[in-house]
Amino acid sequence: MTLSPRILDAVNEWFTPTFDAATQEAVLLLMTSSPEEMEECFYKNMEFGTGGMRGLMGMGNNRINKYTLGKSTQGLSNYLHTCFPNQSLKVVIAYDCRHNSASLAKVVADVFSANGIQVYLFSDLRPTPELSFALRYLECHCGIVLTASHNPPEYNGYKVYWQDGGQIVPPEDAEIINMIEKLDYDQIKFKVNESLIHYIDTEIDEAFIQSSILNASFKTPKKAKENLKIVFTSLHGTAITVVPQTLSQAGYNNVYLVEEQAEPNGNFPTVQSPNPEEPDALAMALALANIVDADIVIGTDPDGDRLGVAVRNTEGQMILLNGNQSMILMTAFLLEQWKKEDKINGKQFVGSTIVSTPMIAVLAEAYGVECKLGLTGFKWIAKMIKDFPDLEFIGGGEESFGYMVGDAVRDKDAVAATLLICEVAAQAKARGSSVYEELLQLYVQYGFYQEHLISITKKGIEGLATIKQMMVSFRENPWQELNGQKVIRIEDYKSSFAQNLLTGETEILPFPKADVLIFFTEDGSKICARPSGTEPKIKFYISVHSHLDCVENYTNIAGSLKEKINSIRIQIELELDTFS
């Protein structure tokens, strides 16, 4: 295989004195042993997506390593000095259980310190939501967490948080990227100033735990907490450092840990994928739940920001809730608690995303609370809190198993959300009900919404091109019908236009531009097409709904909605086959 001159130029830069001998040896070995992989490593610079910078670890501009992270940190340091001139700058850094996370976090700390910036570095792994909390607690200007969420073991990542505790959003994101892209590798300052690096741990832990209890506890009786049997697994990740302690201090002591998965391990040896969205990831927890007759199972991803929840259905079988269902349950519970405390006065809101269930907006309206929608990613929900300081944020979530309770943490927070769903379960059980029965009652009251996700992986350069071509095709040849139902509205977030196909009228979408298409049909179905911002995937989100007059009719209506989803899924997959 012959490498292009552009890629050769990128490779040759890594043989200059800027790069250490070990790095140069690794690049040389890659060049001689696997030129195809060499092209993947150098054909582009790693980019920021919806969750920051995430990718495979290794050598090259398109890999996570000390130089790509060093360059990003140098650019960020320059930007901080520009934004906050003559200020004593402070940043906080956390990292998860992944391979190289601790050493890469130290590299990032070194570069910040070399630029005269005070660094607060966690002494050991901590969950991502604790980083967001610590940023505001320590009054820092910026925060970094080294994580690749639920990606496979060979991945790592770099997420940037701003003063408000949320991930960077426009205009900061583009300005930081521009600052980074102006740099050459030889401009990275690696010479550490150890006097500027401060290690943090238990003080922040305790403050974070107490904040979680304050935000996610709602007068659940002591006996109800004691009667709830909980199985928890951290899936070898960071949540083990705070979730058991949070539950215990909140009064939940009937907790069974999946011990085989309690030890942090970047290989994630007991699961194929450390993703609580995947039923297989919770298999060991579900088995333990059946042994101890647990009421609820909770699993968190490696950096402790997402949670999967399983509960018993009316037949006593454990079933995994999807992200939309757990979001609806927690939001309904929060709204009801706020209503009981007479705290709703029209100046509150809940947040979600354009690809999540429409049921959350129906729910919010019933309580007289505004529902604000953003693009995919919790940084947009965090931005809502910043943009609307006169409104109180109650809670919010998205379909990808993330939830945020209150505004102490400005990102997905599996710690407070774990406590919150236990509050839902404990209070329901004390009333002679269950989480599952509560969900069915919500469907009767607000409409029966069902969702399904199709996720197609397309790796590498060719995969990226295929995904781009798919989106071009959907725009040039949009669906006219889905499941025999006419498409009556199309929202294109890349052009920022929506069109009513019945009237021909168009409107401007009040969102930042994004590569997202949403189709609405005459029967109320909603289908969204979106490339992932952090993984080599294209995703299709299907939402359908129906009226449910009583719980007894649940099975029949669920069957008809499943048939509708399957028909739409088959139509989508047949079209995708043309790109194979």
Side-chain angles (χ1 to χ4, degrees):
M1 179 179 177
T2 303
L3 297 175
S4 69
R6 180 178 62 82
I7 291 177
L8 277 174
D9 287 343
V11 171
N12 286 333
E13 183 180 7
W14 286 60
F15 289 108
T16 63
T18 297
F19 299 85
D20 60 41
T23 296
Q24 294 180 4
E25 288 176 11
V27 173
L28 183 61
L29 178 63
L30 188 63
M31 179 180 286
T32 55
S33 63
S34 182
E36 293 86 0
E37 186 179 350
M38 171 71 72
E39 185 174 22
E40 292 283 352
C41 291
F42 285 91
Y43 83 97
K44 68 171 184 174
N45 291 331
M46 190 162 286
E47 301 169 348
F48 278 80
T50 56
M53 187 167 64
R54 190 186 304 178
L56 293 165
M57 290 179 279
M59 294 298 107
N61 304 328
N62 190 35
R63 292 291 185 265
I64 296 288
N65 53 65
K66 65 177 287 188
Y67 294 99
T68 53
L69 294 192
K71 186 176 178 182
S72 293
T73 305
Q74 184 62 54
L76 183 53
S77 298
N78 295 347
Y79 185 72
L80 286 166
H81 281 296
T82 300
C83 290
F84 307 104
N86 304 315
Q87 291 190 32
S88 177
L89 297 174
K90 299 191 295 184
V91 303
V92 57
I93 302 171
Y95 58 92
D96 70 2
C97 60
R98 288 181 175 274
H99 299 304
N100 304 314
S101 278
S103 59
L104 289 172
K106 184 58 167 66
V107 168
V108 172
D110 290 351
V111 175
F112 277 129
S113 74
N115 284 274
I117 297 171
Q118 297 276 348
V119 179
Y120 294 88
L121 175 63
F122 276 98
S123 60
D124 203 347
L125 74 171
R126 291 296 190 277
T128 290
E130 187 169 353
L131 180 281
S132 174
F133 173 83
L135 200 163
R136 297 176 68 225
Y137 182 84
L138 296 169
E139 298 182 338
C140 291
H141 297 82
C142 173
I144 304 290
V145 61
L146 280 294
T147 178
S149 188
H150 55 275
N151 282 62
E154 59 270 24
Y155 282 76
N156 216 320
Y158 179 94
K159 292 166 71 173
V160 182
Y161 292 74
W162 210 234
Q163 278 184 301
D164 65 318
Q167 292 182 50
I168 54 170
V169 292
E172 287 86 6
D173 55 356
E175 292 171 355
I176 291 169
I177 291 168
N178 184 52
M179 193 75 79
I180 293 168
E181 289 179 346
K182 288 179 180 178
L183 291 173
D184 293 324
Y185 285 107
D186 61 7
Q187 294 175 279
I188 304 170
K189 297 177 182 178
F190 281 116
K191 190 174 182 180
V192 61
N193 182 346
E194 293 287 359
S195 68
L196 295 180
I197 299 178
H198 317 283
Y199 291 90
I200 55 175
D201 38 50
T202 53
E203 177 191 343
I204 307 299
D205 294 341
E206 190 55 35
F208 175 56
I209 289 170
Q210 291 306 311
S211 174
S212 301
I213 293 171
L214 178 66
N215 280 286
S217 295
F218 292 91
K219 299 179 181 178
T220 301
K222 182 174 183 290
K223 186 176 180 180
K225 294 179 181 181
E226 292 172 348
N227 287 340
L228 186 71
K229 284 188 178 181
I230 304 162
V231 166
F232 174 72
T233 176
S234 57
L235 297 178
H236 303 289
T238 59
I240 196 66
T241 63
V242 290
V243 166
Q245 298 90 320
T246 301
L247 290 174
S248 177
Q249 291 188 36
Y252 290 94
N253 293 306
N254 207 352
V255 179
Y256 299 82
L257 300 180
V258 180
E259 297 293 347
E260 300 92 332
Q261 298 175 329
E263 183 71 24
N265 188 328
N267 287 324
F268 313 113
T270 65
V271 293
Q272 189 169 15
S273 169
N275 185 356
E277 296 180 64
E278 302 291 339
D280 288 347
L282 297 185
M284 295 180 75
L286 293 171
L288 178 58
N290 287 328
I291 292 171
V292 302
D293 193 28
D295 301 295
I296 188 168
V297 167
I298 300 167
T300 53
D301 68 346
D303 68 322
D305 62 356
R306 299 173 193 244
L307 77 164
V309 179
V311 296
R312 295 198 182 277
N313 62 15
T314 51
E315 284 76 45
Q317 300 168 322
M318 274 287 174
I319 61 165
L320 182 66
L321 301 177
N322 63 43
N324 285 305
Q325 290 171 324
S326 57
M327 172 177 66
I328 287 299
L329 281 159
M330 288 188 280
T331 303
F333 181 83
L334 285 175
L335 289 168
E336 186 61 24
Q337 300 306 311
W338 279 60
K339 181 182 177 182
K340 285 180 180 178
E341 296 178 12
D342 198 27
K343 292 167 59 177
I344 295 177
N345 59 12
K347 294 184 178 180
Q348 291 76 35
F349 77 97
V350 297
S352 191
T353 68
I354 57 175
V355 301
S356 299
T357 179
M359 186 176 175
I360 193 167
V362 177
L363 186 62
E365 183 180 10
Y367 279 86
V369 169
E370 185 177 354
C371 179
K372 293 184 179 296
L373 299 181
L375 299 176
T376 304
F378 262 73
K379 65 181 183 180
W380 301 110
I381 299 178
K383 186 175 186 296
M384 296 170 191
I385 298 171
K386 183 171 63 173
D387 289 348
F388 300 94
D390 295 333
L391 297 180
E392 292 180 280
F393 176 71
I394 295 175
E398 62 180 2
E399 56 76 37
S400 58
F401 288 61
Y403 202 80
M404 183 162 66
V405 188
D407 63 0
V409 170
R410 306 291 178 91
D411 202 354
K412 296 186 290 290
D413 181 4
V415 180
T418 292
L419 177 54
L420 179 62
I421 197 64
C422 288
E423 292 278 288
V424 176
Q427 291 193 20
K429 186 176 182 180
R431 294 193 304 269
S433 181
S434 69
V435 173
Y436 186 78
E437 289 171 303
E438 294 295 301
L439 180 62
L440 297 189
Q441 289 296 336
L442 289 173
Y443 286 152
V444 171
Q445 193 168 357
Y446 301 106
F448 189 1
Y449 287 78
Q450 291 283 272
E451 280 77 31
H452 180 75
L453 173 66
I454 301 172
S455 183
I456 307 296
T457 299
K458 297 286 184 180
K459 294 184 178 181
I461 301 172
E462 292 183 3
L464 181 63
T466 299
I467 289 172
K468 286 182 178 180
Q469 185 53 47
M470 286 178 178
M471 294 302 293
V472 168
S473 178
F474 292 136
R475 286 187 168 91
E476 293 179 347
N477 304 287
W479 286 306
Q480 301 299 311
E481 285 190 354
L482 283 157
N483 189 35
Q485 298 288 318
K486 288 183 180 179
V487 174
I488 61 172
R489 178 180 170 89
I490 300 176
E491 295 178 351
D492 186 344
Y493 289 78
K494 192 171 186 178
S495 67
S496 296
F497 276 96
Q499 183 176 22
N500 183 320
L501 300 186
L502 298 179
T503 65
E505 294 178 348
T506 61
E507 62 183 90
I508 297 175
L509 296 169
F511 295 87
K513 292 185 182 297
D515 195 6
V516 181
L517 278 170
I518 302 182
F519 301 84
F520 298 86
T521 66
E522 56 189 337
D523 67 348
S525 298
K526 171 185 168 186
I527 297 87
C528 170
R530 167 189 165 265
S532 171
T534 56
E535 300 173 275
K537 294 179 178 180
I538 184 167
K539 297 183 176 183
F540 298 87
Y541 306 80
I542 303 171
S543 178
V544 299
H545 71 275
S546 178
H547 174 68
L548 180 63
D549 58 348
C550 62
V551 169
E552 289 72 22
N553 287 335
Y554 168 80
T555 302
N556 289 336
I557 302 300
S560 65
L561 290 179
K562 186 176 180 180
E563 288 178 6
K564 184 180 288 189
I565 286 173
N566 282 337
S567 295
I568 295 171
R569 177 184 57 79
I570 290 169
Q571 185 174 341
I572 292 172
E573 290 176 349
L574 284 173
E575 185 153 345
L576 293 180
D577 285 344
T578 63
F579 294 94
S580 299

